[in-house]
Amino acid sequence: MTLTQPDLSVFTTLESEVRSYCRNWPTVFDRARGSRMYDEDGHEYLDFFAGAGSLNYGHNNPVLKRALLDHLERDGVTHGLDMSTTAKRTFLESFQNMILRPRDLPYKVMFPGPTGTNAVEAALKLARKVKGRETVVSFTNAFHGMSLGSLAVTGNAFKRAGAGVPLVHTTPMPFDHYMDGKTPDFLWFERLLGDHGSGLDRPAAVIVETIQGEGGINVARPEWLRALALLCQEHDMLLIVDDIQMGCGRTGAFFSFEEAGITPDIVTVSKSISGYGLPMSLCLFRPELDVWEPGEHNGTFRGNNPAFVTAAATLNAYWHDDKLEQQTLAHAQTIEAALRDSAAHHSGSGYRGRGMVWGLELSDPRHAGRAARRAFELGLLIETSGVHGQVVKLLPPLTITADDLDEGLRLTQRAVFETA
């Protein structure tokens, strides 16, 4: 691909230095459809980023777009705070019928605000309110958001340093495989819980990602998650599963914890819940935990009705049967085979993932960054993850065609090979 120099002057002179993704993809995007994006000069890019997981159903999905346009054209409510609206009712009914009831999940639904970190903040606040205790246990290499409560349970030192204040009332524990299998699961955690001299205040809750996306595609084993759920039950701690990036079908099933056969006390959902990339998040919890007073936790933009519309359309289009789940699991085999081949040709590398979230960890942390930049030159959008950016992260739309998936995997392999 021959790239011309785009006019980025207004971005570089006026926009804050905090911008990040645009530095890795120095072009001006103009249109997007399905699994492809197009810049102002007409260059085409295959998207293996999918809005950091917020576009599981692709860009401008025509089914969802039609529902959104119909809503706007009839002057449907756009901003509704927590008022009862037709769009919210339709979403709640669809979510109950398509997702909760078939899985025998008893959750109440809370709309805490537009983003994932809003859902995490609500989950932490609720857990502390229910248990009357302050400490929350999190895990090494976790990422839960950029507001202060979410940062306190995030592991990345660079992200935490941006808080500018002490991040307190949390304690980190080793995530699955953190000790390379040399230490029995939860040995340290259980020892601290059972020792009144350990200095660990009795936790209100434990928050965990089943797969740590930003942390490097670290996949928790189902048996590890089951043991964690049992530990929480035995020690009167609430189990919070952060399913913001890994939910909404990313691992195959709608919720990433389904494979482990557990039922968390609280679940946070965002990113692809709207289906269209519109801001929306949920905090789900057992009915007996619904101890909120009216207005005790609120937010101006917790009633994004266009997002309710596309979310309901998504559930009705893709979750009335298991076709999407089965397609995701089939695509997973294709991705795994390609990464296995790449790892075999690069000494010291490894791969891991589930469903349609995968990572290729390279022995030289700088190699992944070089590969991502080369991929952009070849017309592919991929990002890196892990504390050192050492993992090439693949996050294509769930609705991608087999041909586009094969093309993207070939470009990934080429980019990794050419930058070794």
Side-chain angles (χ1 to χ4, degrees), residues 276-294:
Y276 204 75
L278 300 176
M280 178 178 173
S281 72
L282 308 176
C283 186
L284 313 175
F285 40 81
R286 296 181 184 273
E288 61 269 24
L289 304 181
D290 194 7
V291 298
W292 294 113
E293 296 290 336

Side-chain angles (χ1 to χ4, degrees), residues 183-192:
T183 303
D185 294 337
F186 307 115
L187 176 65
W188 176 240
F189 195 178
E190 288 185 287
R191 182 71 59 85
L192 292 179

Side-chain angles (χ1 to χ4, degrees), residues 103-133:
R103 293 160 179 80
D104 197 26
L105 295 172
Y107 296 136
K108 297 288 288 293
V109 179
M110 176 183 178
F111 300 100
T115 72
T117 198
N118 296 131
V120 171
E121 296 286 354
L124 298 176
K125 184 190 289 188
L126 180 62
R128 287 167 170 143
K129 179 178 174 66
V130 168
K131 292 301 181 184
R133 305 193 291 266

Side-chain angles (χ1 to χ4, degrees), residues 172-322:
M173 291 292 166
F175 190 72
D176 195 12
H177 301 298
Y178 187 76
M179 306 300 288
D180 298 324
K182 298 175 182 178
T183 303
D185 294 337
F186 307 115
L187 176 65
W188 176 240
F189 195 178
E190 288 185 287
R191 182 71 59 85
L192 292 179
L193 288 170
D195 182 2
H196 293 293
S198 69
L200 175 64
D201 293 329
R202 190 180 181 195
V206 175
I207 185 168
V208 68
E209 302 156 276
T210 64
I211 301 174
Q212 295 180 327
E214 300 305 309
I217 317 300
N218 305 315
V219 182
R221 294 166 295 145
E223 56 267 32
W224 187 87
L225 292 168
R226 287 192 290 269
L228 176 61
L230 182 60
L231 186 67
C232 288
Q233 183 179 352
E234 291 175 343
H235 290 273
D236 189 32
M237 303 178 296
L238 297 179
L239 176 60
I240 305 169
V241 168
D242 181 340
D243 230 10
I244 289 167
Q245 188 169 82
M246 298 305 156
C248 302
R250 177 53 58 179
T251 65
F254 187 86
F255 294 109
S256 70
F257 55 80
E258 291 183 52
E259 181 187 13
I262 62 174
T263 302
D265 299 295
I266 304 175
V267 182
T268 60
V269 181
S270 187
K271 289 194 181 286
S272 275
I273 186 60
S274 79
Y276 204 75
L278 300 176
M280 178 178 173
S281 72
L282 308 176
C283 186
L284 313 175
F285 40 81
R286 296 181 184 273
E288 61 269 24
L289 304 181
D290 194 7
V291 298
W292 294 113
E293 296 290 336
E296 188 176 7
H297 187 94
N298 56 26
T300 303
F301 294 102
R302 65 193 185 278
N304 186 353
N305 278 248
F308 296 156
V309 169
T310 54
T314 298
L315 298 177
N316 286 285
Y318 292 103
W319 293 101
H320 67 281
D321 58 28
D322 66 350

